[in-house]
Amino acid sequence: MTAVPLRAAAAPPHRLPVAVVAIGLALLLAVAALASLSLGASGLLPWEVILRDTTPAERAILFDIRLPRLILGVLVGAALAVSGALMQGLFRNPLADPGLVGVGAGAGLGAVIAIVLGGLLPVTNRAMLGAYLVPVFAFAGGWAAVLILYRVASLRGQTSIATMLLAGIVLGALAGAVTGILIFVADDNQLRDLTFWGLGSLAGANWTKLAAAAPILIAGLAAAPFLARGLDAMALGEGVAQHMGVPVETVKRGAILSVAAMTGAAVAVSGGIGFLGIVVPHILRLAVGPGHRLLLPLAALFGAALLVAADTVARLAVAPAELPIGIIMALIGAPVFLWILLARRAVLEV
Amino acid sequence: MLQATGLWAHLGGRAVLNGVDFHARPGQITAIVGPNGSGKTTLMRRLTGDLTGPGEVTLGGDPLARLSPRALALRRAVLPQAGTLGFPFTLREVVRMGHQAGAAAPEPGIVEAALDEVGLGAKIDGLFQDMSGGEQARGHLARVRAQVWHPVQEGRPAWLFVDEPVAALDIGHQLQVMAVLRRFADAGGGVIAVMHDLNLTAMHAERIVLMEAGRIAAAGPPAEVMTGPLLSRAYRCQLCLNTAPEQGIWLLPHAASLG
Ligand SMILES: Nc1ncnc2c1ncn2[C@@H]1O[C@H](COP(=O)(O)OP(=O)(O)OP(=O)(O)O)[C@@H](O)[C@H]1O
Ligand SMILES: [Mg+2]
């Protein structure tokens, strides 16, 4: 027993020191960001702008194309990973993901409606909405999904997790069916837009898109740390969390709202990018443990680094064309996800 | 003082509690006993505020309904009949969560002390999910103990609600856990324990509340409640009790029979 206090400050033997993980991820993000800014058709290191006379074209590539794309990648990557971690904490299940409860599907449906039916709007409205048309519809779709989920899964302030998962599957199927109909009536141009958008991409990032999405993404990310203690306690069950003084319904509502906001905004500007929300928190739980006070900020860092790195690969792999980033994430994410399922099967015998 | 009057509970379309009056004093272990399905857990859930319904519960004079979850967490901790844990937390992290829930300002050393109390100090950095069933049960007890570590806080007694705290434990650890509850009560805290082991209950409880089909069949000191007729009727079996007063009250299980 006397040995116990001596070990008090050390990390449990099977985990990595938090500082090492945090510094490692920060370095990863820095390298990915530098690569994203400098690599491409015009090889330009960011500091050359100060050190030598650059042409207006070079400056435009750096400041109007690569920089907004980098910032968008950082925010979307962080938001997708944190959304996944929040959802998993809420459902007490490491396989939960916004994609799973229909929030992603709802947002996606909104975006598809905007792409296909947007042309039917009166010209004045189209001009007014402009670049905001797809994002606005995606937000609306994500929010609608959350509202329906809440109506279905929550009764007198109590949310049933199982009902919510089932409702998510139903919403996903419904959104898929409506999307199918819309694809049927879409013309060739719209079809190409849809395909590219559906696979996920940061191409077309600009300051306008960033200005539309950033406030929502940042608000969602900023809300997350306030949910950490409550989500930890909820791992012991909602009843126990209540016994421990956690306002369970407030935490649930907060988590759902920030997930909806972040997923809607991310889907709107980057399409369907999967797996980040499952793979990133899973790896981090193995590295530093499941406590949300560390998990959430580290997930933001890791998610940002991974998405920026994947986006850089997407830009360079088949240059001058671009691969949809969703394909790269799926190529990495799907095997990892299967590995998680296999590992859990061994433990849980399900 | 914990006081409850006229508690009703309707679950699954029928009355599970039928106007129960209940009270418990700090400094004592109050045991709730009775057959399966008699409403012990339901009564406990009314007393902790998990379940609401007709009737009022007051804790130290304050109506439960008017205390916020946070205020309640500072004054009482609850050990449910069954525990779960969703993610691979270590024992230390689980017990620390309990302590942070109940302390206005967390104090160093309490997580370790709470685990030592239930004999789990050596496993502090192990994963909770990797421990045996009985160890997990004791880990949860350490968590609720760490939540209300001081039996009396700012002159007010703290309360421990434990639902079958020894159900999964061997005889040595049963005694250890009862000793933990005993010390808490002796230091001025209140303990309300749902129990199935009548001998342990008779050894440790100041007051026993016997439940039968959603009603209180008898309540009082062990000598009044632990009687052959009362217990035989409630549990629907013939029980033989030692009656020599100098030896205390104990059941002879081998002399029990159905019928
Ligand atoms: N959520 C519920 N829905 C429907 N019926 C319930 C519910 N919870 C409890 N009951 C019923 O209420 C009765 C009392 O249950 P309770 O859990 O209070 O019993 P108990 O005395 O704690 O039993 P045990 O010794 O088995 O733990 C049981 O008949 C049970 O079926
Ligand atoms: Mg019970």
Side-chain angles (χ1 to χ4, degrees):
Chain A
M1 300 288 158
T2 46
V4 166
L6 292 177
R7 288 203 294 147
H14 49 276
R15 293 190 188 153
L16 300 173
V18 175
V20 171
V21 175
I23 293 170
L25 290 178
L27 280 177
L28 188 67
L29 177 58
V31 170
L34 187 62
S36 147
L37 284 180
S38 2
L39 301 180
S42 142
L44 175 77
L45 289 166
W47 44 82
E48 285 182 47
V49 176
I50 307 164
L51 295 183
R52 71 174 171 86
D53 267 346
T54 43
T55 64
E58 282 176 320
R59 282 198 296 275
I61 287 177
L62 186 62
F63 289 116
D64 294 337
I65 297 176
R66 289 190 193 160
L67 190 59
R69 184 164 179 159
L70 167 65
I71 297 174
L72 198 65
V74 167
L75 288 177
V76 167
L80 290 175
V82 169
S83 295
L86 288 177
M87 217 68 194
Q88 288 141 29
L90 188 67
F91 288 106
R92 293 186 289 285
N93 187 327
L95 300 180
D97 189 66
L100 216 65
V101 294
V103 180
L109 177 60
V112 172
I113 290 174
I115 291 173
V116 177
L117 301 183
L120 302 180
L121 283 177
V123 179
T124 47
N125 286 6
R126 217 187 312 163
M128 195 177 68
L129 286 170
Y132 291 91
L133 192 64
V134 176
V136 164
F137 271 69
F139 298 150
W143 282 108
V146 175
L147 288 183
I148 294 172
L149 268 182
Y150 237 87
R151 286 304 281 265
V152 173
S154 150
L155 186 66
R156 281 183 234 105
Q158 297 286 315
T159 306
S160 155
I161 300 298
T163 314
M164 195 158 171
L165 281 171
L166 288 173
I169 293 171
V170 172
L171 281 177
L174 190 64
V178 178
T179 305
I181 295 172
L182 289 171
I183 285 177
F184 210 70
V185 304
D187 65 32
D188 279 357
N189 263 335
Q190 291 168 337
L191 218 50
R192 215 175 14 256
D193 272 2
L194 277 180
T195 314
F196 199 73
W197 178 88
L199 292 170
S201 173
L202 291 173
N206 54 41
W207 291 110
T208 316
K209 269 193 181 183
L210 189 59
I216 297 166
L217 294 173
I218 290 171
L221 288 170
F226 295 100
L227 303 166
R229 194 185 87 89
L231 292 176
D232 279 354
M234 279 168 63
L236 288 156
E238 286 176 23
V240 170
Q242 192 90 42
H243 294 149
M244 294 181 14
V246 172
V248 171
E249 287 305 317
T250 312
V251 171
K252 285 204 269 189
R253 212 156 289 163
I256 287 174
L257 288 184
S258 36
V259 166
M262 287 192 283
T263 309
V267 165
V269 290
S270 62
I273 299 177
F275 295 108
L276 213 54
I278 284 186
V279 171
V280 164
H282 186 81
I283 292 174
L284 286 175
R285 270 189 215 99
L286 292 177
V288 299
H292 289 87
R293 281 201 7 226
L294 293 174
L295 183 66
L296 294 173
L298 291 178
L301 209 53
F302 196 7
L306 269 187
L307 194 65
V308 170
D311 181 51
T312 309
V313 173
R315 277 200 300 122
L316 300 177
V318 292
E322 264 195 39
L323 272 180
I325 198 170
I327 289 182
I328 294 173
M329 292 312 297
L331 280 177
I332 304 169
V336 177
F337 188 69
L338 281 175
W339 164 66
I340 295 171
L341 283 176
L342 281 172
R344 280 178 63 80
R345 210 172 65 112
V347 176
L348 297 178
E349 292 165 7
V350 287
Chain B
M1 184 85 169
L2 178 110
Q3 188 99 40
T5 43
L7 296 185
W8 287 80
H10 290 269
L11 292 171
R14 64 189 186 88
V16 175
L17 290 183
N18 303 284
V20 168
D21 295 331
F22 180 93
H23 68 88
R25 282 178 218 290
Q28 294 190 345
I29 295 178
T30 304
I32 303 173
V33 302
N36 291 144
S38 57
K40 305 181 295 297
T41 297
T42 307
L43 173 59
M44 184 101 120
R45 292 179 62 211
R46 283 301 313 265
L47 297 176
T48 57
D50 289 8
L51 203 65
T52 53
E56 199 190 37
V57 183
T58 59
L59 192 63
D62 301 322
L64 215 54
R66 274 204 239 122
L67 294 170
S68 71
R70 178 73 183 143
L72 265 176
L74 298 174
R75 292 171 66 171
R76 63 106 179 86
V78 185
L79 182 72
Q81 191 166 355
T84 60
L85 182 62
F87 291 106
F89 284 99
T90 64
L91 189 51
R92 179 200 301 278
E93 288 169 330
V94 169
V95 177
R96 194 200 288 138
M97 277 186 225
H99 183 51
Q100 285 170 345
E107 301 164 50
I110 284 178
V111 170
E112 291 79 2
L115 281 168
D116 281 344
E117 206 180 39
V118 296
L120 285 175
K123 300 223 165 188
I124 189 161
D125 282 320
L127 287 185
F128 197 87
Q129 64 196 23
D130 290 349
M131 295 191 306
S132 77
E135 287 169 344
Q136 291 189 7
R138 278 145 58 209
H140 279 301
L141 181 71
R143 169 175 63 74
V144 297
R145 265 299 279 124
Q147 183 177 336
V148 287
W149 182 250
H150 300 292
V152 178
Q153 183 89 38
E154 290 168 6
R156 265 202 311 242
W159 293 84
L160 269 179
F161 293 82
V162 289
D163 197 345
E164 299 191 25
V166 297
L169 305 185
D170 65 74
I171 189 159
H173 285 114
Q174 288 185 356
L175 293 171
Q176 180 186 51
V177 162
M178 292 314 292
V180 168
L181 301 178
R182 181 76 267 159
R183 280 198 298 277
F184 186 81
D186 285 346
V191 176
I192 293 167
V194 172
M195 298 285 294
H196 276 306
D197 188 316
L198 295 172
N199 283 335
L200 274 180
T201 307
M203 274 168 70
H204 289 283
E206 273 82 11
R207 197 160 161 274
I208 300 179
V209 174
L210 174 65
M211 294 206 60
E212 203 183 325
R215 289 194 168 78
I216 290 183
E224 282 175 27
V225 178
M226 294 273 291
T227 66
L230 275 175
L231 294 182
S232 296
R233 196 189 71 192
Y235 288 99
R236 293 174 204 289
C237 60
Q238 295 305 312
L239 294 169
C240 188
L241 279 107
N242 168 59
T243 46
E246 70 277 8
Q247 291 177 335
I249 304 165
W250 40 274
L251 277 168
L252 292 168
H254 56 272
S257 66
L258 284 173

